[in-house]
Amino acid sequence: MLETLISEAQLHPEFEFIPGVPVKDLLYSNDRIAGVKLGDGREIPAALVIGTDGRNSVVRQRAELELVKQQNSIDVLWFKLAAHPRFVADNVFYSILNGGSGFSVFHGAESGKLHLAWVLSADDKTDWKHTDWAETFASLSPAWMAEHFRNCADTIESPMRLSVVVGRCPRWHRPGIILLGDAAHPMSPVRAQGINMALRDVIVAANHLVPLLKAGANYEDMDLALSRIQAEREPEIIRAQQLQAQEAWKGEQLRKNGLLRLLMMQTAPFLGEKIKQFWVKGQYELRQGVTEVKLVV
């Protein structure tokens, strides 16, 4: 998708794509942000800077826009390994909870690779640098998946440890700059909504900014539009993060409570479809969005 967006943007003579060069700092003019300074020393002046550089946003830090973090942020070990035909054919997403340990496994965007996320809970004693991960995954999995982990043990790449910061900036903007996506509101990985919320931010920002940029609006009008973008997007972000926290809490109760897991396993053959329908219905807002977002420009 990113390659397609870049190809479309390159049809415009004003567009320049500079891969692999980080933003190091912001430029200022009369107390207004007026561009960026790149890692290679270049300076790019701009009427407006849009920071979309993720949960560890350098742009946010340089603009001194505060991020209020939620409690109970989690760490995740992220693995890659050889794919299994069952994942490729059905594009399934499995979450495994067994004996207080848990992980999720799914086919990623990279052809032929499974991604696996192991949640490091506060009481996790796993020596993750020295564990036989193939056997650990297999010991928690159903037979067909366990066989795959053991057969593909030599393809399991060393994990990356990711600190999952969740939170929201009380203010997404200053004169000359606005943050969108995880830069403004780092999302939990629960239900994988970060990219969806970021794209919805972009649509709303385009609706407000494109008419002003086409009309050659002054800085004051552009800066006023920034507050309207945040006001339109913020209610959905707040609600989505609340729903993610609720989902995470449910998962934690399942992880901690062996009796609850046993009860669910025993009732699943009889009530499984009803439980599934209830669970999916409860996630409707998180999966489909809370507010209507439509591109109008």
Side-chain angles (χ1 to χ4, degrees), residues 25 37 43 107 156 163 185 192 203 210 220 224 268:
D25 209 343
K37 183 174 182 179
E43 295 184 353
H107 194 278
I156 299 176
S163 293
H185 46 77
I203 289 170
V210 167
E220 184 178 349
L224 286 173

Side-chain angles (χ1 to χ4, degrees), residues 57-131:
S57 172
V58 172
V59 173
R60 179 182 67 228
Q61 295 171 40
R62 295 294 183 267
E64 297 182 348
L65 289 165
E66 179 190 11
L67 174 66
V68 178
K69 298 178 182 179
Q70 292 183 8
Q71 293 181 344
N72 302 322
S73 294
I74 61 173
D75 282 3
V76 173
L77 295 182
W78 199 270
F79 298 82
K80 292 183 181 180
L81 65 151
H84 184 284
R86 193 159 170 177
F87 287 89
V88 178
D90 299 333
N91 194 27
V92 290
F93 184 106
Y94 283 92
S95 287
I96 307 293
L97 287 171
N98 192 327
S101 297
F103 63 90
S104 295
V105 59
F106 54 96
H107 194 278
E110 191 175 355
S111 178
K113 290 286 182 79
L114 292 182
H115 288 200
L116 188 150
W118 176 279
V119 178
L120 287 171
S121 56
D123 56 355
D124 195 321
K125 305 302 182 184
T126 304
D127 183 2
W128 62 275
K129 292 184 178 180
H130 299 98
T131 295

